[in-house]
Amino acid sequence: MPPLSFLCRMRFLSADNIFTAIGPPLKQGIVILNEDGTIADVLTKQQYSQQDSNREKVEHFKGWLCPGFINSHCHLELSYLKGTINEKTGMSGFISQLLQHRFPFNEEVMQQSYIDAEQEMLRNGIVAVGDISNFHHTLNIKKKGRLYYHTFVELTGLDPYEAGNIIDKGNLLKEKFKDVPQGNSSLSPHAPYSVSPRLFTLLKDSCYVDDEPVTIHMQESAEEMQFMYNKTGALADLFTKLKFDFSGLPLFEERPIKIVLPQLPNCNRVQLVHNTYTEKNEITWANTIIKNLYWCLCPNANIYIENKLPDIPSIIAANAVITLGTDSLASNHSLNLMDEMKVIQKHFPEIKIDTMLSWATINGAKFLGIEKQYGSLEKGKQPGIINIDPEMLVTRVL
């Protein structure tokens, strides 16, 4: 038995349910923490009762204790646009407003918005973020090391002759984010409608070499589907108005997911984000193409932009590995994964809370490659611990 002086520095946490992410919930289990927040042990109520009951007073919480959340898809750099973009305008309306408000913008205001957004994520129990970046603007906040960030440097370009330059610029930005003390970075394509086949090829070669995770927005809106089939519709009209050259985009004879997935590195961890218009048969097919495929849900952003949710029951039925994201404050009212779970439960009440907690914890950690520290309550890990009370409110415990 450890010395009494050491035990006094430990914490003994219990709750109605302990969600470990590696097994069924433990009713009134005990999580024992070292002084630095490392998990010393996770015990059932029975296992703990068989030990010396005079060790320490147990801190009991109502509701759930679970690992810190993993926000698998976020655009931190858009935080300064909170409240500026109208809801339910479709993808063309969203992009139009985004471009209208995005630049120029006050640098001080932008940086403060990143501080506020990160603080919001911390309050809401988020410990790690898969963050999309097109620029270096979020580098300073990430260097503070308060959250783990995997920065996905987003690549966009339809001119095949520019593909090499786009990769080179992306690699330079990726290296800047390598300086983040708690984090990593990799290259990722934006979406099927904004990346040339040549750029997909170069990106695939690059990701294969480094075994890096890849994320891509997939079949998010009806307008983009029409645009990729025949280059018409609201999105084509917007791009024409903005004088964007989309001649490098080939006409898609099949659904975008069928065209794009074979162009992604099939041995890497790949995350498809949004999936609002993805169909049941495509889900089953996709899981046979990519070995380590993850399906990221951002339901509040889907409603904010398209007023439509993906077919979540079909994704579950296909035994797909699901993650959760918040998207950005340009397309959401909060950076809170519990808000995402609440809207899922509202529309699909048959989905249980512990199922969604797996999406928000261990699945996200595995996608980002950080499951040795985050995502589950296991001995030796330091995943952060949060309390979800009976009213579905989150309190950060450690």
Side-chain angles (χ1 to χ4, degrees):
M1 180 175 177
L4 183 61
S5 60
F6 178 72
L7 288 174
C8 290
R9 295 194 297 269
M10 300 178 80
R11 294 180 70 186
F12 297 78
L13 309 178
S14 182
D16 302 330
N17 292 285
I18 305 290
F19 176 80
T20 65
I22 58 170
L26 303 179
K27 298 288 185 181
Q28 297 183 331
I30 306 289
V31 181
I32 305 174
L33 296 178
N34 291 326
E35 188 177 23
D36 65 353
T38 302
I39 296 175
D41 214 343
V42 180
L43 306 174
T44 65
K45 182 181 180 181
Q46 182 179 11
Q47 288 171 328
Y48 184 74
S49 66
Q50 294 170 352
Q51 300 187 15
D52 183 358
S53 61
N54 295 319
R55 281 185 171 189
E56 185 82 347
K57 183 179 179 182
V58 174
E59 301 173 55
H60 185 82
F61 297 84
K62 293 182 179 181
W64 296 75
L65 286 183
C66 72
F69 289 152
I70 314 297
N71 184 356
S72 293
H73 181 74
C74 185
H75 296 255
L76 185 64
E77 68 184 13
L78 299 180
S79 298
Y80 64 95
L81 295 175
K82 182 178 182 180
T84 64
I85 295 181
N86 295 327
E87 299 182 46
K88 302 177 178 64
T89 61
M91 184 56 66
S92 61
F94 177 77
I95 293 175
S96 178
Q97 293 178 84
L98 187 69
L99 295 174
Q100 177 185 347
H101 293 290
R102 191 162 190 179
F103 297 117
F105 216 90
N106 182 282
E107 178 69 21
E108 185 176 342
V109 172
M110 292 171 69
Q111 292 300 322
Q112 185 60 50
S113 77
Y114 304 149
I115 293 171
D116 295 342
E118 184 182 73
Q119 189 58 42
E120 180 181 358
M121 287 194 281
L122 285 164
R123 285 196 309 271
N124 293 325
I126 291 169
V127 295
V129 185
D131 188 55
I132 304 295
S133 290
N134 291 269
F135 308 98
H136 67 278
H137 298 150
T138 58
L139 184 57
N140 288 337
I141 189 73
K142 291 175 180 177
K143 281 185 174 180
K144 294 182 179 181
R146 297 198 296 172
L147 290 173
Y148 179 96
Y149 287 98
H150 186 107
T151 300
F152 293 98
V153 174
E154 190 168 71
L155 304 183
T156 303
L158 290 174
D159 185 347
Y161 298 104
E162 283 296 310
N165 291 332
I166 293 169
I167 289 284
D168 290 343
K169 289 178 181 178
N171 279 321
L172 289 174
L173 186 55
K174 182 179 78 169
E175 289 307 309
K176 288 185 179 181
F177 283 106
K178 293 286 187 185
D179 293 335
V180 173
Q182 284 200 83
N184 207 339
S185 58
S186 59
L187 303 179
S188 282
H190 169 246
Y193 64 89
S194 61
V195 176
S196 70
R198 175 60 178 162
L199 184 51
F200 269 121
T201 298
L202 295 181
L203 176 65
K204 183 176 183 178
D205 293 342
S206 173
C207 292
Y208 260 139
V209 171
D210 297 325
D211 191 28
E212 296 176 332
V214 176
T215 189
I216 181 171
H217 300 81
M218 182 59 64
Q219 300 189 160
E220 183 178 359
S221 77
E223 293 172 356
E224 72 180 71
M225 307 287 279
Q226 181 181 0
F227 174 64
M228 286 181 282
Y229 282 135
N230 50 33
K231 297 184 183 178
T232 64
L235 205 55
D237 293 341
L238 173 64
F239 288 168
T240 299
K241 179 180 177 181
L242 295 172
K243 298 182 179 179
F244 287 175
D245 182 7
F246 50 85
S247 58
L249 180 73
L251 293 177
F252 282 38
E253 296 182 358
E254 292 188 272
R255 302 258 299 173
I257 193 170
K258 292 287 186 78
I259 300 292
V260 168
L261 248 61
Q263 299 183 65
L264 298 176
N266 61 7
C267 294
N268 297 53
R269 303 185 304 279
V270 175
Q271 178 175 259
L272 308 182
V273 182
H274 296 306
N275 310 293
T276 321
Y277 288 83
T278 298
E279 298 176 348
K280 184 176 182 178
N281 67 314
E282 294 172 334
I283 300 165
T284 304
W285 172 84
N287 286 328
T288 67
I289 299 300
I290 304 291
K291 295 179 180 179
N292 296 304
L293 189 62
Y294 295 79
W295 299 78
C296 186
L297 306 176
C298 305
N300 278 310
N302 300 149
I303 293 172
Y304 196 108
I305 298 173
E306 287 282 310
N307 198 27
K308 177 179 169 62
L309 290 175
D311 184 0
I312 298 176
S314 289
I315 299 175
I316 296 173
N319 294 318
V321 183
I322 298 174
T323 58
L324 286 183
T326 62
D327 212 58
S328 75
L329 286 174
S331 57
N332 203 336
H333 297 288
S334 70
L335 301 179
N336 186 346
L337 289 184
M338 187 54 64
D339 287 347
E340 306 301 322
M341 286 185 255
K342 287 177 182 177
V343 77
I344 291 172
Q345 203 163 59
K346 176 183 176 182
H347 290 270
F348 307 101
E350 70 277 11
I351 301 177
K352 296 180 179 179
I353 178 66
D354 52 328
T355 297
M356 293 187 288
L357 288 177
S358 292
W359 305 346
T361 57
I362 190 62
N363 290 1
K366 287 181 177 179
F367 169 61
L368 295 181
I370 55 175
E371 68 273 22
K372 290 183 178 179
Q373 178 175 342
Y374 299 97
S376 62
L377 300 182
E378 295 181 78
K379 186 176 181 178
K381 285 192 174 186
Q382 200 176 36
I385 297 180
I386 58 178
N387 172 224
I388 303 170
D389 73 13
E391 301 299 319
M392 301 282 279
L393 298 175
V394 173
T395 301
R396 191 180 182 89
V397 175
L398 190 72

